[in-house]
Amino acid sequence: MLTNRSKVVVKKEMNFWERIYLPAIVGGTIITIKHLFRRKATVRFPEVKREISAVWRGQHVLKRDEHGAERCTACGLCAVACPAEAITMTAAERKKGEEHLYREEKYATVYEINMLRCIFCGLCEEACPKEAIFLTDRIESTDYSRNAFIYGKDKLVEAVDKRIDVTKRQTPAVLEFKKHKLLSHNR
Amino acid sequence: MAKLTIDGIEVEVPDGTTILNAARQIGGKIVPPAMCYYSSLKETGGKCRVCLVKVAQGSAKDPRPMPKLVASCRTPVADGMVVQNITSPDVLEARKGVVEMLLINHPLDCPICDQAGECDLQNLSYEHGLSTSRYEFERRTFEKIDIGDKIKLHMTRCILCYRCVFVANQLTKERVHGVLDRGDRAEISTYIQKAVDNDFSGNMIDVCPVGALTDRTFRFKSRVWFTKPMDAHRNCSKCSGKVVLWMKGDDVLRVTGRKDQHGEVKEFICNECRFEHKNINDWTVEGPRHIDHHSVISQNHYEKIDLIKLKKEVERQLEFQSGKKHLTEGNGLTQTDNHENNQG
């Protein structure tokens, strides 16, 4: 009686029409039939795709710079920012002659995101100081085993000839920051 | 003994103590930061100028203020001195300027640097610095060199605190590296590559406040905040053998000396302990090292909750609560107040 919202249940005896249940059954069927002619809430996914926002947070991409070198330097900030602890990485030192592959002297040899753990919050993207990781409007593919959802660099890094457009996800702050050519990593 | 006031807090210290050490006795936020002073090395300090404080009253005998901001690590206390650190806007402004100057040539390569996460300059610039630079000229850069087979020198990051020079002077028989040239051309160097090779040279890595001197055996292995620091020791004929192991799983990735709350190593360790025992079986592990929760390293949640300690704490609080009830029932609030103060 703390909230004063309790109700006393009255169980009155049913009359004849209620006891034969037929009107209730007919009423239920009418509702069912009505729903058949309504607009459907679902779409037939692979053939039909639902419209999504331009800044949809879907499958990640590891970007390359304008020369095709990987931007990620395995600094670990995405991994430490990740609330689901989905990201792991191993770093290595760039050797001579690999300058066209990796932008900085350190790079990630292994970079894995567990897509089953990922909650697509976008904090990794926000933490990234190198503009390397972005969430894209792609929907990740399905699979049968759990291991297949641990995406490695083969799935995350964009192909040199098939760049993925992330301009819509670049915030005004990032674009403003990029204008400062004096900051060493913007050179 | 001299009695002085730092930011309104009175403290009594022996004569000859520096203002910085007097502030460290009080502890907390009023301790000036220090990039070059190192308590366990003699003659350090006075170079980086980040520990500047304002002396509003010189002493009880001569109450005039000191004309300029002074380096607290080099200024001895006097009886009746009144010092302002974070309560003085002048000091904060000056410190901001010093940080900006230290950052003129310092590269913004924290994502690559192995020191990131435990870097004094990173902390300092985060607290006092600007996020942008006003410097428009070419920054000075150097090639990375290996000094000794275990130490990497990245001179571009150096802020010329001279700590590593004092390590070489005071811990090793002969110093083979030093500061060459003067002014804006000054640099730490050996002249001959790979020349540093003696038993305690590895301590240069620990004393370096930035990432100029880094451990080659740990180079790019992991970011510090993914490793778990464990206190450990072993019998060593050359040093105390008391170290911190930085582990990932059961692998020892790095061995360093034990840094106190001011980031200073009190007991230096030898190179054998530091570089050659990367096997957990060589060490007696004492337990996880406590890292201040302000540090990114504590993000790793490596410290397990001490259940016995927790139980004791709960029991203590229950006892306190029942005691409190007892006291309020009895004669006085004053006793309860005292009790509460002790808790705080």
Side-chain angles (χ1 to χ4, degrees):
Chain A
M1 291 299 279
L2 276 171
T3 54
N4 289 327
R5 274 189 279 172
S6 61
K7 270 186 194 165
V8 181
V9 179
V10 187
K11 246 191 168 178
K12 68 166 198 219
E13 207 164 297
M14 288 192 279
N15 60 26
F16 174 74
W17 284 111
E18 279 168 345
R19 247 180 301 160
I20 61 168
Y21 286 109
L22 257 179
I25 289 169
V26 171
T29 318
I30 288 167
I31 290 172
T32 311
I33 291 164
K34 233 195 248 169
H35 274 271
L36 281 178
F37 299 103
R38 277 213 190 144
R39 211 171 72 94
K40 288 179 185 65
T42 52
V43 293
R44 297 184 154 269
F45 167 60
E47 292 87 35
V48 186
K49 274 179 186 150
R50 174 162 288 177
E51 196 182 330
I52 54 176
S53 151
V55 288
W56 172 269
R57 297 194 299 263
Q59 188 187 324
H60 312 68
V61 63
L62 284 173
K63 291 290 288 177
R64 292 173 185 274
D65 68 0
E66 56 271 29
H67 307 298
E70 282 174 27
R71 286 180 181 174
C72 176
T73 178
C75 71
L77 288 183
C78 49
V80 79
C82 182
E85 300 190 350
I87 306 175
T88 50
M89 67 188 70
T90 315
E93 191 168 0
R94 182 182 67 188
K95 293 189 186 68
K96 266 203 181 122
E98 292 182 330
E99 281 82 358
H100 64 289
L101 292 175
Y102 313 108
R103 192 168 64 171
E104 317 272 344
E105 62 172 309
K106 188 173 78 160
Y107 68 96
T109 41
V110 179
Y111 189 105
E112 288 179 337
I113 302 178
N114 188 337
M115 288 297 183
L116 295 175
R117 282 196 142 208
C118 179
I119 57 168
F120 300 95
C121 62
L123 286 183
C124 48
E125 184 183 9
E126 217 165 289
C128 186
K130 295 286 175 189
E131 291 173 56
I133 191 163
F134 282 97
L135 275 68
T136 59
D137 55 1
R138 296 174 297 170
I139 292 167
E140 54 171 311
S141 54
T142 51
D143 219 301
Y144 292 104
S145 74
R146 288 183 164 264
N147 279 341
F149 282 101
I150 299 171
Y151 281 21
K153 274 180 79 176
D154 53 329
K155 284 184 183 168
L156 294 170
V157 181
E158 62 177 355
V160 184
D161 50 346
K162 238 170 86 183
R163 297 304 185 89
I164 287 145
D165 182 36
V166 290
T167 41
K168 279 171 188 158
R169 283 201 65 78
Q170 283 187 328
T171 58
V174 166
L175 295 173
E176 175 61 34
F177 179 74
K178 277 176 96 174
K179 280 184 201 155
H180 295 284
K181 291 291 166 197
L182 287 171
L183 298 171
S184 55
H185 58 290
N186 276 338
R187 278 186 189 143
Chain B
M1 297 295 273
K3 214 177 213 172
L4 74 156
T5 318
I6 303 172
D7 281 347
I9 304 166
E10 251 187 31
V11 64
E12 203 171 342
V13 290
D15 291 324
T17 316
T18 57
I19 298 172
L20 182 76
N21 278 327
R24 282 186 178 186
Q25 276 193 21
I26 301 169
K29 278 187 180 164
I30 63 142
V31 183
M35 297 293 287
C36 65
Y37 172 75
Y38 208 81
S39 57
S40 38
L41 294 171
K42 278 177 235 126
E43 311 274 301
T44 50
K47 297 188 175 62
C48 67
R49 319 308 287 184
V50 294
C51 66
L52 289 177
V53 291
K54 188 178 182 180
V55 178
Q57 188 181 320
S59 67
K61 279 181 200 156
D62 183 7
R64 286 177 300 171
M66 288 195 183
K68 285 195 277 187
L69 301 180
V70 295
S72 63
C73 63
R74 283 288 200 166
T75 313
V77 298
D79 197 37
M81 195 182 244
V82 177
V83 179
Q84 290 177 339
N85 179 22
I86 51 171
T87 49
S88 160
D90 293 354
V91 170
L92 295 180
E93 185 63 30
R95 199 166 284 156
K96 211 170 164 181
V98 171
V99 174
E100 194 179 354
M101 210 181 84
L102 287 177
L103 290 174
I104 282 180
N105 281 314
H106 194 84
L108 184 57
D109 63 349
C110 304
I112 301 166
C113 180
D114 275 333
Q115 188 89 359
E118 51 177 14
C119 175
D120 292 347
L121 190 59
Q122 209 178 16
N123 297 343
L124 196 67
S125 59
Y126 197 75
E127 279 167 35
H128 301 282
L130 296 159
S131 58
T132 52
S133 170
R134 291 184 286 174
Y135 191 69
E136 291 175 1
F137 305 98
E138 192 68 24
R139 286 149 190 257
R140 61 173 206 166
T141 47
F142 296 86
E143 286 289 305
K144 289 171 275 290
I145 54 169
D146 299 337
I147 52 167
D149 56 342
K150 301 282 168 42
I151 305 171
K152 193 94 178 172
L153 169 62
H154 194 354
M155 188 51 220
T156 314
R157 294 179 186 147
C158 178
I159 57 159
L160 291 166
C161 69
Y162 284 67
R163 278 178 182 179
C164 59
V165 179
F166 287 110
V167 163
N169 264 350
Q170 291 167 28
L171 296 180
T172 59
K173 284 198 191 81
E174 47 190 20
R175 173 161 67 87
V176 290
H177 80 288
V179 177
L180 309 180
D181 293 338
R182 288 293 172 265
D184 68 335
R185 284 198 209 99
E187 63 169 300
I188 299 279
S189 186
T190 53
Y191 259 129
I192 313 155
Q193 274 193 30
K194 300 194 177 183
V196 179
D197 179 30
N198 51 54
D199 271 346
F200 282 83
S201 62
N203 290 302
M204 296 191 333
I205 301 164
D206 277 356
V207 300
C208 187
V210 291
L213 292 160
T214 47
D215 189 338
R216 283 187 71 201
T217 60
F218 180 62
R219 190 163 165 80
F220 299 161
K221 283 273 166 63
S222 174
R223 313 296 344 248
V224 281
W225 57 85
F226 296 134
T227 54
K228 303 178 183 199
M230 300 294 238
D231 278 334
H233 64 265
R234 66 180 275 272
N235 283 330
C236 179
S237 53
K238 294 177 203 147
C239 66
S240 68
K242 288 180 185 165
V243 301
V244 180
L245 304 179
W246 298 80
M247 305 180 47
K248 203 169 188 180
D250 281 336
D251 300 333
V252 178
L253 294 186
R254 182 172 68 142
V255 183
T256 65
R258 293 184 186 175
K259 291 184 180 178
D260 63 3
Q261 76 266 38
H262 305 297
E264 289 163 10
V265 176
K266 294 286 178 215
E267 288 177 276
F268 292 108
I269 60 168
C270 66
N271 281 8
E272 196 195 326
C273 287
R274 185 184 300 271
F275 298 124
E276 272 143 48
H277 293 276
K278 296 284 179 84
N279 187 343
I280 186 72
N281 297 324
D282 294 348
W283 299 94
T284 316
V285 176
E286 292 160 27
R289 183 164 186 78
H290 177 70
I291 299 285
D292 190 66
H293 74 276
H294 293 103
S295 165
V296 69
I297 302 169
S298 67
Q299 281 289 307
N300 211 356
H301 311 296
Y302 62 92
E303 251 179 319
K304 279 203 183 113
I305 298 163
D306 190 344
L307 287 174
I308 298 164
K309 215 172 167 183
L310 193 74
K311 198 181 163 212
K312 269 189 189 157
E313 179 66 20
V314 170
E315 275 169 5
R316 192 185 60 81
Q317 285 189 9
L318 286 174
E319 198 182 320
F320 167 66
Q321 279 171 1
S322 61
K324 192 176 167 185
K325 217 179 254 172
H326 178 71
L327 281 170
T328 33
E329 277 165 8
N331 55 354
L333 283 164
T334 46
Q335 282 181 36
T336 330
D337 287 352
N338 280 338
H339 223 105
E340 268 171 355
N341 287 342
N342 291 340
Q343 295 298 306

